[in-house]
mmCIF file of all heavy atoms in Angstrom:
data_model
loop_
_atom_site.group_PDB
_atom_site.id
_atom_site.type_symbol
_atom_site.label_atom_id
_atom_site.label_comp_id
_atom_site.label_asym_id
_atom_site.label_seq_id
_atom_site.Cartn_x
_atom_site.Cartn_y
_atom_site.Cartn_z
ATOM 1 N N SER X 1499 12.706 10.350 -6.231
ATOM 2 C CA SER X 1499 14.025 10.478 -5.613
ATOM 3 C C SER X 1499 14.922 11.328 -6.508
ATOM 4 O O SER X 1499 14.649 11.495 -7.691
ATOM 5 C CB SER X 1499 14.653 9.102 -5.379
ATOM 6 O OG SER X 1499 14.821 8.422 -6.597
ATOM 7 N N MET X 1503 21.053 15.910 -6.718
ATOM 8 C CA MET X 1503 20.214 17.102 -6.522
ATOM 9 C C MET X 1503 19.234 16.861 -5.386
ATOM 10 O O MET X 1503 18.960 15.720 -5.023
ATOM 11 C CB MET X 1503 19.445 17.463 -7.801
ATOM 12 C CG MET X 1503 18.398 16.448 -8.208
ATOM 13 S SD MET X 1503 17.408 16.932 -9.617
ATOM 14 C CE MET X 1503 16.420 18.230 -8.940
ATOM 15 N N THR X 1506 12.788 19.333 -4.597
ATOM 16 C CA THR X 1506 11.962 20.301 -3.879
ATOM 17 C C THR X 1506 10.515 19.836 -3.849
ATOM 18 O O THR X 1506 10.114 18.947 -4.603
ATOM 19 C CB THR X 1506 12.044 21.684 -4.549
ATOM 20 O OG1 THR X 1506 11.512 21.585 -5.874
ATOM 21 C CG2 THR X 1506 13.477 22.187 -4.614
ATOM 22 N N ARG X 1512 4.833 18.290 -8.906
ATOM 23 C CA ARG X 1512 4.686 18.289 -10.367
ATOM 24 C C ARG X 1512 4.800 16.873 -10.927
ATOM 25 O O ARG X 1512 4.002 16.462 -11.760
ATOM 26 C CB ARG X 1512 5.760 19.187 -10.980
ATOM 27 C CG ARG X 1512 5.781 19.254 -12.468
ATOM 28 C CD ARG X 1512 5.072 20.469 -12.948
ATOM 29 N NE ARG X 1512 5.147 20.540 -14.396
ATOM 30 C CZ ARG X 1512 5.192 21.659 -15.058
ATOM 31 N NH1 ARG X 1512 5.158 22.796 -14.429
ATOM 32 N NH2 ARG X 1512 5.233 21.642 -16.363
ATOM 33 N N SER X 1518 0.119 10.808 -11.919
ATOM 34 C CA SER X 1518 -1.193 10.372 -11.440
ATOM 35 C C SER X 1518 -2.161 10.130 -12.608
ATOM 36 O O SER X 1518 -3.171 9.448 -12.432
ATOM 37 C CB SER X 1518 -1.784 11.399 -10.481
ATOM 38 O OG SER X 1518 -2.088 12.594 -11.164
ATOM 39 N N PHE X 1520 -1.638 8.163 -14.935
ATOM 40 C CA PHE X 1520 -1.521 6.744 -15.259
ATOM 41 C C PHE X 1520 -2.360 5.862 -14.338
ATOM 42 O O PHE X 1520 -2.381 4.650 -14.509
ATOM 43 C CB PHE X 1520 -0.063 6.293 -15.204
ATOM 44 C CG PHE X 1520 0.771 6.821 -16.328
ATOM 45 C CD1 PHE X 1520 1.791 7.725 -16.086
ATOM 46 C CD2 PHE X 1520 0.530 6.418 -17.623
ATOM 47 C CE1 PHE X 1520 2.564 8.212 -17.117
ATOM 48 C CE2 PHE X 1520 1.298 6.909 -18.674
ATOM 49 C CZ PHE X 1520 2.321 7.808 -18.416
ATOM 50 N N ARG X 1522 -5.451 5.316 -14.212
ATOM 51 C CA ARG X 1522 -6.509 4.582 -14.911
ATOM 52 C C ARG X 1522 -5.987 3.358 -15.664
ATOM 53 O O ARG X 1522 -6.744 2.461 -15.995
ATOM 54 C CB ARG X 1522 -7.263 5.502 -15.862
ATOM 55 C CG ARG X 1522 -6.383 6.102 -16.920
ATOM 56 C CD ARG X 1522 -7.156 7.040 -17.805
ATOM 57 N NE ARG X 1522 -6.204 7.831 -18.570
ATOM 58 C CZ ARG X 1522 -6.501 8.856 -19.283
ATOM 59 N NH1 ARG X 1522 -7.745 9.247 -19.348
ATOM 60 N NH2 ARG X 1522 -5.592 9.519 -19.941
ATOM 61 N N THR X 1533 13.079 9.076 -10.908
ATOM 62 C CA THR X 1533 14.392 9.527 -10.467
ATOM 63 C C THR X 1533 14.768 10.777 -11.248
ATOM 64 O O THR X 1533 14.833 10.752 -12.478
ATOM 65 C CB THR X 1533 15.449 8.422 -10.701
ATOM 66 O OG1 THR X 1533 15.030 7.226 -10.055
ATOM 67 C CG2 THR X 1533 16.795 8.851 -10.156
ATOM 68 N N LEU X 1534 15.011 11.848 -10.539
ATOM 69 C CA LEU X 1534 15.421 13.118 -11.135
ATOM 70 C C LEU X 1534 16.925 13.258 -10.935
ATOM 71 O O LEU X 1534 17.440 13.026 -9.839
ATOM 72 C CB LEU X 1534 14.704 14.284 -10.465
ATOM 73 C CG LEU X 1534 13.177 14.204 -10.437
ATOM 74 C CD1 LEU X 1534 12.627 15.193 -9.437
ATOM 75 C CD2 LEU X 1534 12.622 14.477 -11.800
ATOM 76 N N ARG X 1540 22.286 19.038 -18.376
ATOM 77 C CA ARG X 1540 21.149 18.170 -18.695
ATOM 78 C C ARG X 1540 20.384 17.811 -17.432
ATOM 79 O O ARG X 1540 20.954 17.359 -16.451
ATOM 80 C CB ARG X 1540 21.636 16.877 -19.351
ATOM 81 C CG ARG X 1540 22.222 17.079 -20.711
ATOM 82 C CD ARG X 1540 22.696 15.798 -21.321
ATOM 83 N NE ARG X 1540 21.786 14.699 -21.021
ATOM 84 C CZ ARG X 1540 22.083 13.425 -21.156
ATOM 85 N NH1 ARG X 1540 23.270 13.076 -21.583
ATOM 86 N NH2 ARG X 1540 21.211 12.498 -20.881
ATOM 87 N N HIS X 1541 19.081 18.036 -17.459
ATOM 88 C CA HIS X 1541 18.185 17.633 -16.383
ATOM 89 C C HIS X 1541 17.440 16.402 -16.875
ATOM 90 O O HIS X 1541 16.781 16.447 -17.913
ATOM 91 C CB HIS X 1541 17.201 18.750 -16.047
ATOM 92 C CG HIS X 1541 17.881 19.992 -15.562
ATOM 93 N ND1 HIS X 1541 18.075 20.242 -14.231
ATOM 94 C CD2 HIS X 1541 18.425 21.035 -16.222
ATOM 95 C CE1 HIS X 1541 18.697 21.386 -14.089
ATOM 96 N NE2 HIS X 1541 18.925 21.893 -15.298
ATOM 97 N N ILE X 1542 17.548 15.307 -16.146
ATOM 98 C CA ILE X 1542 17.038 14.022 -16.612
ATOM 99 C C ILE X 1542 15.995 13.493 -15.630
ATOM 100 O O ILE X 1542 16.184 13.558 -14.416
ATOM 101 C CB ILE X 1542 18.189 12.994 -16.732
ATOM 102 C CG1 ILE X 1542 19.260 13.529 -17.666
ATOM 103 C CG2 ILE X 1542 17.661 11.640 -17.208
ATOM 104 C CD1 ILE X 1542 20.561 12.776 -17.606
ATOM 105 N N VAL X 1545 11.484 7.313 -15.346
ATOM 106 C CA VAL X 1545 10.322 6.730 -14.684
ATOM 107 C C VAL X 1545 10.290 5.246 -14.991
ATOM 108 O O VAL X 1545 10.390 4.850 -16.149
ATOM 109 C CB VAL X 1545 9.009 7.408 -15.156
ATOM 110 C CG1 VAL X 1545 7.807 6.760 -14.498
ATOM 111 C CG2 VAL X 1545 9.037 8.886 -14.868
ATOM 112 N N PHE X 1549 5.175 -3.889 -14.033
ATOM 113 C CA PHE X 1549 3.809 -4.226 -14.410
ATOM 114 C C PHE X 1549 3.759 -5.657 -14.933
ATOM 115 O O PHE X 1549 4.353 -5.954 -15.970
ATOM 116 C CB PHE X 1549 3.310 -3.240 -15.482
ATOM 117 C CG PHE X 1549 1.872 -3.395 -15.848
ATOM 118 C CD1 PHE X 1549 0.886 -3.125 -14.929
ATOM 119 C CD2 PHE X 1549 1.506 -3.808 -17.109
ATOM 120 C CE1 PHE X 1549 -0.436 -3.252 -15.268
ATOM 121 C CE2 PHE X 1549 0.193 -3.947 -17.463
ATOM 122 C CZ PHE X 1549 -0.795 -3.670 -16.534
ATOM 123 N N SER X 1552 6.934 -7.335 -16.018
ATOM 124 C CA SER X 1552 7.723 -6.536 -16.956
ATOM 125 C C SER X 1552 8.052 -5.194 -16.313
ATOM 126 O O SER X 1552 7.510 -4.836 -15.283
ATOM 127 C CB SER X 1552 6.951 -6.295 -18.248
ATOM 128 O OG SER X 1552 6.662 -7.503 -18.884
ATOM 129 N N ASP X 1562 15.697 22.202 -18.805
ATOM 130 C CA ASP X 1562 14.918 22.701 -17.679
ATOM 131 C C ASP X 1562 14.156 21.537 -17.057
ATOM 132 O O ASP X 1562 13.498 20.785 -17.761
ATOM 133 C CB ASP X 1562 13.941 23.775 -18.166
ATOM 134 C CG ASP X 1562 13.144 24.386 -17.034
ATOM 135 O OD1 ASP X 1562 13.581 24.308 -15.889
ATOM 136 O OD2 ASP X 1562 12.064 24.933 -17.328
#
Side-chain angles (χ1 to χ4, degrees):
S1499 61
M1503 67 175 289
T1506 63
R1512 178 98 178 212
S1518 67
F1520 289 113
R1522 60 182 166 190
T1533 305
L1534 305 164
R1540 292 180 39 196
H1541 298 266
I1542 303 166
V1545 178
F1549 186 66
S1552 299
D1562 183 21

